[in-house]
Amino acid sequence: MSESDALDRALNDSSLLAMRGRASSAQAPITATAFLPDGSACAFADGDGVLHLTKRQAGTWPDPASWRAVAVHDGPVLSLAALPEGFASGGDDQRLCLTPPAGEPVLIDKARGWVGHLAAWLPARAKGAERPLLAVARGKSVEVRDDTGRLLKTFAHASTVEGVAFDPKGKRVFAAHYGGLSVWFIHAKFDSVRPLLWKGSHLAVAVHPAGEAVVSAMQENALHGWTLPAAGNLRMAGYPAKPLSMAFSRSGRWLASSGADAIVLWPFFGGGPAGKAPKELAQLPGRLVTRVAFHPVDDIVACGYDDGTAVLAELDGERLLPICGPKAGLGPVSALAFSPDGTALAIGGESGAMAVIDLAAKG
């Protein structure tokens, strides 16, 4: 029996979604999902401008009847990020908002340009003097704000910013756009950009957890990376589709990506990924991986496919655990995230279906 046939049989027999999930449905496609930094609440954003909110109660996730649907934007929610106070969101209504898990949305700012991308940075607990940061990609600019919404810096670019990310220490912000990445030092007295150049359209960005590399997803069905601080080029090609979803493992040894009929894992150790072939997990011919997410504690990666299938895969031994199959009705998986402690997984699809899966439940 092939891996694909065995997985299909397992998906029909049982799945984590059926056994441990709390599922609901929106009236529009799910565009993003996120957990609060303390893992106490989860949000799903949809294409009608609504945030669907659920709070953990007594260590468990409640029945969807208690979930809150909060109208935040006039039009699709394009971006979502979690801060300690609540969920920051942006839309094509040009609004940047913050919605607490049990309160009403607060308008942070409204200006010209869609809020297409958001990224949050949280300081280590030992550094209490530092405040969380929020990077806001709005058209051709990137704004850096603190957790109160106060504007700290604005960085201008020659073309539309398609992705944004902080480095692990919150000292730099990376912006993806046509022609490469721009690196900005947030606390510099005088703003100056460090360009990381590579021809083509760069659509997303991921930063190594130790700050040793940065990788962008490209329009040309490839990833491109740069070593840091030397800025040596790293080419990762061969995808049949755009690898728009990327995630580094906790240790930084592996970069998982979508864009193929398997999870494509590039090694960031032993001199890799330069000159190294990628590892492939959970290969299901005829299906395309659309979203990936690494577990924050264990060497486990989650992925969702374009037919609504989703699995958990172990890096060692390649054992697969079914999350759900096509009959669950997700449609193409469009959102996927682990809680910060790894005890829950949020998943959403283009059908509007969404669920929080309790990975800590016994039995």
Side-chain angles (χ1 to χ4, degrees), residues 153-189:
K153 290 285 184 74
T154 300
F155 302 119
H157 303 82
S159 58
T160 301
V161 176
E162 301 289 356
V164 64
F166 288 102
D167 76 352
K169 296 182 179 180
K171 305 299 183 185
R172 297 170 293 179
V173 64
F174 297 81
H177 46 72
Y178 186 82
L181 304 183
S182 292
V183 188
W184 300 93
F185 290 83
I186 298 167
H187 303 293
K189 186 175 181 180

Short mmCIF file of all heavy atoms in Angstrom, two decimals, residues 153-189:
data_model
loop_
_atom_site.label_atom_id
_atom_site.label_comp_id
_atom_site.label_asym_id
_atom_site.label_seq_id
_atom_site.Cartn_x
_atom_site.Cartn_y
_atom_site.Cartn_z
N LYS A 153 8.48 54.33 13.19
CA LYS A 153 9.24 54.56 11.96
C LYS A 153 8.36 54.27 10.75
O LYS A 153 7.45 53.43 10.81
CB LYS A 153 10.48 53.64 11.90
CG LYS A 153 11.59 53.95 12.89
CD LYS A 153 12.38 55.18 12.47
CE LYS A 153 13.55 55.46 13.39
NZ LYS A 153 14.66 54.52 13.21
N THR A 154 8.66 54.92 9.63
CA THR A 154 8.07 54.59 8.34
C THR A 154 9.20 54.46 7.33
O THR A 154 10.03 55.36 7.20
CB THR A 154 7.07 55.66 7.88
OG1 THR A 154 6.02 55.79 8.83
CG2 THR A 154 6.48 55.29 6.52
N PHE A 155 9.21 53.32 6.62
CA PHE A 155 10.26 53.05 5.64
C PHE A 155 9.61 52.96 4.26
O PHE A 155 8.69 52.16 4.04
CB PHE A 155 10.98 51.74 5.96
CG PHE A 155 11.61 51.72 7.33
CD1 PHE A 155 11.21 50.77 8.27
CD2 PHE A 155 12.60 52.63 7.68
CE1 PHE A 155 11.78 50.74 9.53
CE2 PHE A 155 13.18 52.60 8.94
CZ PHE A 155 12.77 51.66 9.87
N ALA A 156 10.09 53.76 3.30
CA ALA A 156 9.53 53.81 1.96
C ALA A 156 10.31 52.91 1.00
O ALA A 156 11.52 52.73 1.13
CB ALA A 156 9.55 55.25 1.44
N HIS A 157 9.57 52.35 0.02
CA HIS A 157 10.16 51.46 -0.97
C HIS A 157 9.71 51.88 -2.38
O HIS A 157 8.71 52.59 -2.54
CB HIS A 157 9.74 50.01 -0.70
CG HIS A 157 10.11 49.53 0.67
ND1 HIS A 157 9.34 49.82 1.78
CD2 HIS A 157 11.17 48.82 1.12
CE1 HIS A 157 9.91 49.29 2.85
NE2 HIS A 157 11.02 48.68 2.48
N ALA A 158 10.43 51.40 -3.37
CA ALA A 158 10.13 51.78 -4.75
C ALA A 158 8.97 51.00 -5.33
O ALA A 158 8.37 51.42 -6.33
CB ALA A 158 11.38 51.58 -5.61
N SER A 159 8.62 49.85 -4.74
CA SER A 159 7.52 49.04 -5.24
C SER A 159 6.72 48.49 -4.06
O SER A 159 7.13 48.61 -2.90
CB SER A 159 8.04 47.90 -6.12
OG SER A 159 8.96 47.09 -5.41
N THR A 160 5.59 47.88 -4.34
CA THR A 160 4.69 47.39 -3.30
C THR A 160 5.36 46.33 -2.44
O THR A 160 6.01 45.42 -2.95
CB THR A 160 3.43 46.79 -3.95
OG1 THR A 160 2.79 47.81 -4.73
CG2 THR A 160 2.47 46.29 -2.90
N VAL A 161 5.20 46.47 -1.14
CA VAL A 161 5.75 45.49 -0.20
C VAL A 161 4.81 44.30 -0.13
O VAL A 161 3.62 44.44 0.16
CB VAL A 161 5.94 46.12 1.19
CG1 VAL A 161 6.41 45.07 2.20
CG2 VAL A 161 6.92 47.28 1.12
N GLU A 162 5.35 43.10 -0.39
CA GLU A 162 4.55 41.88 -0.47
C GLU A 162 4.74 40.97 0.73
O GLU A 162 4.05 39.94 0.85
CB GLU A 162 4.90 41.11 -1.76
CG GLU A 162 4.68 41.89 -3.03
CD GLU A 162 3.21 42.09 -3.35
OE1 GLU A 162 2.36 41.55 -2.60
OE2 GLU A 162 2.91 42.79 -4.34
N GLY A 163 5.65 41.29 1.62
CA GLY A 163 5.87 40.47 2.81
C GLY A 163 6.75 41.22 3.78
O GLY A 163 7.56 42.07 3.38
N VAL A 164 6.61 40.93 5.07
CA VAL A 164 7.36 41.65 6.09
C VAL A 164 7.64 40.72 7.26
O VAL A 164 6.83 39.84 7.58
CB VAL A 164 6.58 42.91 6.53
CG1 VAL A 164 5.27 42.55 7.21
CG2 VAL A 164 7.42 43.81 7.39
N ALA A 165 8.82 40.87 7.89
CA ALA A 165 9.19 40.03 9.03
C ALA A 165 10.26 40.73 9.85
O ALA A 165 11.07 41.50 9.31
CB ALA A 165 9.71 38.67 8.56
N PHE A 166 10.28 40.46 11.15
CA PHE A 166 11.32 40.95 12.05
C PHE A 166 12.42 39.91 12.19
O PHE A 166 12.19 38.71 11.99
CB PHE A 166 10.74 41.21 13.44
CG PHE A 166 9.86 42.42 13.54
CD1 PHE A 166 8.49 42.29 13.57
CD2 PHE A 166 10.41 43.70 13.63
CE1 PHE A 166 7.67 43.40 13.68
CE2 PHE A 166 9.60 44.81 13.73
CZ PHE A 166 8.22 44.66 13.75
N ASP A 167 13.61 40.37 12.58
CA ASP A 167 14.65 39.42 12.98
C ASP A 167 14.35 38.98 14.41
O ASP A 167 13.49 39.55 15.10
CB ASP A 167 16.04 40.02 12.81
CG ASP A 167 16.41 41.03 13.88
OD1 ASP A 167 15.55 41.41 14.70
OD2 ASP A 167 17.57 41.46 13.92
N PRO A 168 15.00 37.92 14.90
CA PRO A 168 14.66 37.38 16.22
C PRO A 168 14.83 38.36 17.37
O PRO A 168 14.15 38.22 18.40
CB PRO A 168 15.62 36.19 16.37
CG PRO A 168 15.98 35.80 14.98
CD PRO A 168 16.00 37.08 14.21
N LYS A 169 15.71 39.34 17.24
CA LYS A 169 15.97 40.28 18.34
C LYS A 169 15.14 41.56 18.22
O LYS A 169 15.24 42.44 19.09
CB LYS A 169 17.46 40.63 18.38
CG LYS A 169 18.34 39.45 18.71
CD LYS A 169 19.82 39.86 18.77
CE LYS A 169 20.71 38.67 19.13
NZ LYS A 169 22.14 39.06 19.20
N GLY A 170 14.35 41.69 17.18
CA GLY A 170 13.54 42.88 17.01
C GLY A 170 14.34 44.11 16.65
O GLY A 170 13.89 45.24 16.86
N LYS A 171 15.53 43.92 16.10
CA LYS A 171 16.39 45.05 15.74
C LYS A 171 16.24 45.46 14.28
O LYS A 171 16.49 46.61 13.92
CB LYS A 171 17.86 44.70 16.00
CG LYS A 171 18.16 44.26 17.43
CD LYS A 171 17.83 45.33 18.44
CE LYS A 171 18.21 44.89 19.85
NZ LYS A 171 17.77 45.89 20.87
N ARG A 172 15.85 44.51 13.44
CA ARG A 172 15.73 44.76 12.01
C ARG A 172 14.36 44.31 11.51
O ARG A 172 13.76 43.38 12.06
CB ARG A 172 16.81 43.99 11.22
CG ARG A 172 18.23 44.40 11.52
CD ARG A 172 19.24 43.44 10.89
NE ARG A 172 19.17 42.12 11.52
CZ ARG A 172 19.93 41.07 11.15
NH1 ARG A 172 20.78 41.21 10.14
NH2 ARG A 172 19.81 39.92 11.78
N VAL A 173 13.89 44.95 10.46
CA VAL A 173 12.68 44.51 9.78
C VAL A 173 13.03 44.30 8.31
O VAL A 173 13.78 45.08 7.71
CB VAL A 173 11.54 45.53 9.96
CG1 VAL A 173 11.86 46.87 9.32
CG2 VAL A 173 10.23 44.97 9.43
N PHE A 174 12.51 43.20 7.75
CA PHE A 174 12.78 42.81 6.37
C PHE A 174 11.50 43.01 5.55
O PHE A 174 10.42 42.58 5.97
CB PHE A 174 13.18 41.33 6.29
CG PHE A 174 14.46 41.01 7.00
CD1 PHE A 174 14.47 40.81 8.38
CD2 PHE A 174 15.66 40.88 6.30
CE1 PHE A 174 15.66 40.50 9.04
CE2 PHE A 174 16.84 40.57 6.96
CZ PHE A 174 16.84 40.39 8.33
N ALA A 175 11.62 43.62 4.39
CA ALA A 175 10.49 43.86 3.50
C ALA A 175 10.77 43.19 2.15
O ALA A 175 11.83 43.41 1.56
CB ALA A 175 10.25 45.35 3.31
N ALA A 176 9.82 42.39 1.68
CA ALA A 176 9.94 41.73 0.38
C ALA A 176 9.20 42.54 -0.68
O ALA A 176 8.09 43.03 -0.44
CB ALA A 176 9.37 40.32 0.45
N HIS A 177 9.80 42.67 -1.86
CA HIS A 177 9.22 43.46 -2.94
C HIS A 177 9.89 43.07 -4.24
O HIS A 177 10.73 42.14 -4.27
CB HIS A 177 9.39 44.96 -2.67
CG HIS A 177 10.78 45.33 -2.23
ND1 HIS A 177 11.87 45.32 -3.07
CD2 HIS A 177 11.26 45.67 -1.00
CE1 HIS A 177 12.96 45.67 -2.41
NE2 HIS A 177 12.61 45.89 -1.13
N TYR A 178 9.56 43.74 -5.31
CA TYR A 178 10.21 43.44 -6.58
C TYR A 178 11.70 43.76 -6.49
O TYR A 178 12.09 44.82 -6.02
CB TYR A 178 9.60 44.26 -7.72
CG TYR A 178 10.15 43.85 -9.07
CD1 TYR A 178 9.64 42.73 -9.72
CD2 TYR A 178 11.20 44.55 -9.65
CE1 TYR A 178 10.16 42.34 -10.94
CE2 TYR A 178 11.73 44.15 -10.87
CZ TYR A 178 11.21 43.04 -11.51
OH TYR A 178 11.74 42.63 -12.70
N GLY A 179 12.51 42.80 -6.93
CA GLY A 179 13.96 43.00 -6.97
C GLY A 179 14.70 42.54 -5.74
O GLY A 179 15.93 42.64 -5.71
N GLY A 180 14.01 42.02 -4.72
CA GLY A 180 14.71 41.51 -3.55
C GLY A 180 14.07 41.90 -2.24
O GLY A 180 12.85 42.09 -2.14
N LEU A 181 14.92 42.05 -1.22
CA LEU A 181 14.48 42.45 0.11
C LEU A 181 15.17 43.75 0.51
O LEU A 181 16.28 44.04 0.06
CB LEU A 181 14.83 41.38 1.15
CG LEU A 181 14.32 39.96 0.96
CD1 LEU A 181 14.71 39.10 2.15
CD2 LEU A 181 12.82 39.92 0.74
N SER A 182 14.50 44.51 1.37
CA SER A 182 15.11 45.66 2.02
C SER A 182 15.23 45.37 3.51
O SER A 182 14.27 44.90 4.13
CB SER A 182 14.26 46.92 1.80
OG SER A 182 14.29 47.32 0.44
N VAL A 183 16.39 45.66 4.07
CA VAL A 183 16.63 45.45 5.49
C VAL A 183 16.78 46.80 6.16
O VAL A 183 17.62 47.62 5.76
CB VAL A 183 17.91 44.61 5.72
CG1 VAL A 183 18.04 44.24 7.20
CG2 VAL A 183 17.91 43.37 4.85
N TRP A 184 15.97 47.05 7.18
CA TRP A 184 16.00 48.33 7.90
C TRP A 184 16.34 48.08 9.36
O TRP A 184 15.80 47.16 9.99
CB TRP A 184 14.63 49.01 7.81
CG TRP A 184 14.18 49.32 6.43
CD1 TRP A 184 13.41 48.54 5.61
CD2 TRP A 184 14.46 50.51 5.68
NE1 TRP A 184 13.19 49.16 4.41
CE2 TRP A 184 13.82 50.38 4.43
CE3 TRP A 184 15.17 51.68 5.96
CZ2 TRP A 184 13.88 51.36 3.45
CZ3 TRP A 184 15.22 52.66 4.99
CH2 TRP A 184 14.59 52.50 3.74
N PHE A 185 17.20 48.92 9.90
CA PHE A 185 17.55 48.85 11.32
C PHE A 185 16.63 49.80 12.08
O PHE A 185 16.68 51.02 11.90
CB PHE A 185 19.02 49.20 11.52
CG PHE A 185 19.95 48.14 11.00
CD1 PHE A 185 20.29 48.09 9.65
CD2 PHE A 185 20.44 47.16 11.86
CE1 PHE A 185 21.12 47.09 9.17
CE2 PHE A 185 21.29 46.16 11.37
CZ PHE A 185 21.62 46.13 10.03
N ILE A 186 15.79 49.23 12.90
CA ILE A 186 14.68 49.97 13.50
C ILE A 186 15.15 51.10 14.41
O ILE A 186 14.57 52.18 14.43
CB ILE A 186 13.77 48.99 14.27
CG1 ILE A 186 13.19 47.96 13.31
CG2 ILE A 186 12.66 49.74 15.01
CD1 ILE A 186 12.53 46.78 13.99
N HIS A 187 16.21 50.86 15.17
CA HIS A 187 16.63 51.83 16.18
C HIS A 187 17.78 52.72 15.71
O HIS A 187 18.37 53.44 16.52
CB HIS A 187 17.01 51.10 17.47
CG HIS A 187 15.91 50.24 18.01
ND1 HIS A 187 14.74 50.77 18.51
CD2 HIS A 187 15.79 48.89 18.10
CE1 HIS A 187 13.95 49.78 18.91
NE2 HIS A 187 14.55 48.64 18.66
N ALA A 188 18.09 52.66 14.42
CA ALA A 188 19.17 53.51 13.91
C ALA A 188 18.77 54.98 13.99
O ALA A 188 17.61 55.34 13.76
CB ALA A 188 19.50 53.14 12.47
N LYS A 189 19.73 55.83 14.29
CA LYS A 189 19.46 57.27 14.38
C LYS A 189 19.08 57.83 13.03
O LYS A 189 18.18 58.68 12.92
CB LYS A 189 20.69 57.99 14.96
CG LYS A 189 20.45 59.46 15.24
CD LYS A 189 21.66 60.09 15.92
CE LYS A 189 21.40 61.57 16.23
NZ LYS A 189 22.59 62.19 16.89
#
